[in-house]
Amino acid sequence: MAGYSTIVSKPTLGVAPEEAKDHHVRDAKGEIIGFQNPHPSAGVLRNTLQTVGRMFLSRLQGKMPAPDLSNVQIPVIKPHFLEEKSSQAQSSSSDTKSLRATWLGHACYYVEYPNGLRVLFDPVFEDRCAPSRFVGPKRYTQPPCKLADIPKLDAIVISHSHYDHLSEPTVRELHKHNPEAQFFVGLGLASWFHATGLNKVTEMDWWEDATLTVKKPITTADGKETVEEIEAQVSCLPCQHSSARTGWDKDTTLWCSFAIKSGGKSVWFGGDTGYRAVPEMPAEEDDYGPKYDSLPRCPHFKQIGELRGPFDLGLIPIGAYKPRWMWSGLHSNPYDAVEIFKDTKCEKALAIHWGTWVLTIEEVEEPPKLLKEALKTSGMPETGVFDTCAIGETKEY
């Protein structure tokens, strides 16, 4: 579109805790060579081969059955966007005064801000979230639309490098349809985008802020053409996870959550994160019971809430959590998600990181049910505060 442009300021450290750089791993010369989870809440890093071997043995013993996909009832509907893609000048961004969030599956949300800013979080539209199109987790719910159906994007946020959050074919197609859109990624990941042929990428560290300025040609109500300028503050913030795309690049790029504030509204995107690592325990035991109350909780989220909150909307992961002894340091279950919601001071929240691929062994429709239980346990309404929705459904705030 003629006249459309995006500019990003150089990221700078914003309000941050004293230990803001504890996640850096440096070599003898002081150069950053990787990243780590700096708090005990992440648990102990397990040997990958031992973990895989134990999973295989447990499967043979019937202790880790695969989820049943024979009758999945997760609805997929066609999304309704404010306007369709058009080669004409865009209508005024004052079409709505609401923040609109549309779930496109797994961790992907398309968010329309009241001032016309459009942001896409962690898009992966491939059938499999894996290096190969032929092996790896396969979708059991389909995308609600094509990438070409999504209106013009101003920003695309990638939380980390895992294949269920970063897809090369998706990124390439998005860039084809949105050549001016700015990608925001964690430290170390920009080189992957450059190798893919994309240069509009801003690499950020935890607690850094950048200003995105978007100039959009619009047609006003009286038919006049003008250029509207939109600004957004993009903040890279912590989470508790890991990264890798191959067998030799583990934790060499940074995993992040992000906050974007624009048009008087703010969204915190949790990406993929754990909250508190729990030990192996009998199935009937509650890891939020008194016996385990002293387990360390990740302090990142209270820091985010105190230093950067509150937020109008949180996009918070609730799935891929069983067995807990294996995944709790890296993935949140619904009870963790409710605690993260409270810690980050989000006014409302929508669930992400479920309903698309089988990544772990809980039944695929369990996360929303446990979320209601977790909300009730916390004395919160079961609906209207922290919700799930159909794939393709839009919520307004």
Side-chain angles (χ1 to χ4, degrees):
M1 180 181 295
Y4 175 88
S5 64
T6 58
I7 301 172
V8 180
S9 68
K10 183 179 179 180
T12 58
L13 185 66
V15 180
E18 291 184 3
E19 68 278 13
K21 304 300 181 183
D22 285 1
H23 57 292
H24 293 172
V25 177
R26 299 179 183 271
D27 62 15
K29 298 179 180 179
E31 298 294 325
I32 297 174
I33 57 172
F35 304 93
Q36 63 184 350
N37 292 301
H39 301 294
S41 53
V44 178
L45 184 64
R46 294 182 174 88
N47 180 281
T48 302
L49 289 177
Q50 289 178 345
T51 299
V52 171
R54 186 168 178 185
M55 286 179 63
F56 181 73
L57 179 60
S58 295
R59 289 253 172 153
L60 289 178
Q61 295 172 337
K63 295 178 181 179
M64 289 190 184
D68 181 8
L69 299 179
S70 62
N71 189 32
V72 176
Q73 299 295 314
I74 299 170
V76 180
I77 63 176
K78 183 179 179 180
H80 170 68
F81 303 122
L82 285 181
E83 61 186 33
E84 299 297 325
K85 265 187 180 294
S86 171
S87 60
Q88 305 298 316
Q90 298 179 36
S91 61
S92 172
S93 63
S94 60
D95 289 343
T96 178
K97 295 300 181 184
S98 300
L99 181 74
R100 302 178 83 250
T102 304
W103 188 34
L104 301 182
H106 197 54
C108 182
Y109 255 93
Y110 169 72
V111 178
E112 300 162 297
Y113 286 75
N115 60 356
L117 182 77
R118 296 186 180 92
V119 182
L120 191 64
F121 295 91
D122 277 10
V124 178
F125 272 56
E126 272 56 64
D127 195 37
R128 295 184 186 273
C129 58
S132 170
R133 293 182 298 169
F134 307 105
V135 295
K138 182 178 174 61
R139 279 184 180 267
Y140 56 85
T141 54
Q142 294 304 305
C145 64
K146 297 178 180 179
L147 286 170
D149 297 332
I150 301 172
K152 179 173 284 291
L153 295 166
D154 306 307
I156 302 165
V157 172
I158 305 296
S159 65
H160 66 294
S161 67
H162 286 156
Y163 283 89
D164 56 325
H165 297 259
L166 174 60
S167 158
E168 182 175 343
T170 291
V171 163
R172 286 185 181 276
E173 186 172 352
L174 284 171
H175 178 64
K176 181 177 70 174
H177 295 301
N178 304 274
E180 288 294 316
Q182 297 281 348
F183 284 84
F184 292 90
V185 305
L187 284 187
L189 199 49
S191 60
W192 181 91
F193 282 82
H194 295 157
T196 308
L198 282 73
N199 294 314
K200 281 190 168 292
V201 55
T202 299
E203 195 175 85
M204 302 179 71
D205 198 0
W206 289 353
W207 303 107
E208 286 188 337
D209 300 324
T211 299
L212 169 66
T213 302
V214 182
K215 293 184 178 181
K216 292 187 176 185
I218 63 169
T219 301
T220 61
D222 57 3
K224 295 181 179 180
E225 293 189 0
T226 185
V227 175
E228 181 181 51
E229 188 170 295
I230 297 171
E231 281 198 354
Q233 177 180 288
V234 180
S235 300
C236 179
L237 298 169
C239 64
Q240 182 172 282
H241 198 57
S242 66
S243 67
R245 288 185 73 79
T246 68
W248 52 87
D249 68 342
K250 181 173 173 55
D251 297 345
T252 58
T253 63
L254 185 58
W255 48 97
C256 316
S257 67
F258 281 87
I260 297 185
K261 299 182 179 181
S262 190
K265 295 288 187 177
S266 57
V267 175
W268 179 70
F269 174 66
D272 197 353
T273 186
Y275 185 63
R276 57 196 286 272
V278 303
E280 191 167 5
M281 63 183 68
E284 66 275 7
E285 286 195 359
D286 175 13
D287 63 69
Y288 269 99
K291 182 177 178 181
Y292 301 99
D293 195 49
S294 62
L295 290 176
R297 300 184 179 208
C298 183
H300 290 324
F301 305 105
K302 281 194 172 181
Q303 292 171 341
I304 290 169
E306 291 168 359
L307 298 177
R308 300 304 185 91
F311 303 98
D312 294 289
L313 178 65
L315 303 173
I316 303 176
I318 67 166
Y321 49 80
K322 282 186 177 178
R324 288 281 278 161
W325 63 265
M326 183 180 297
W327 294 110
S328 56
L330 300 176
H331 289 166
S332 303
N333 77 354
Y335 284 86
D336 298 327
V338 169
E339 297 304 304
I340 291 171
F341 168 75
K342 293 187 293 186
D343 284 355
T344 51
K345 298 184 180 180
C346 294
E347 296 292 331
K348 298 290 178 66
L350 290 168
I352 63 172
H353 208 258
W354 74 284
T356 306
W357 292 286
V358 172
L359 302 177
T360 48
I361 66 169
E362 74 271 5
E363 290 299 326
V364 298
E365 294 181 75
E366 180 182 278
K369 298 173 184 176
L370 281 190
L371 178 60
K372 289 182 181 294
E373 293 179 13
L375 290 165
K376 185 177 180 180
T377 299
S378 289
M380 300 166 62
E382 294 182 30
T383 59
V385 176
F386 190 161
D387 292 323
T388 59
C389 61
I391 297 175
E393 183 179 358
T394 298
K395 298 281 190 179
E396 294 195 15
Y397 300 92

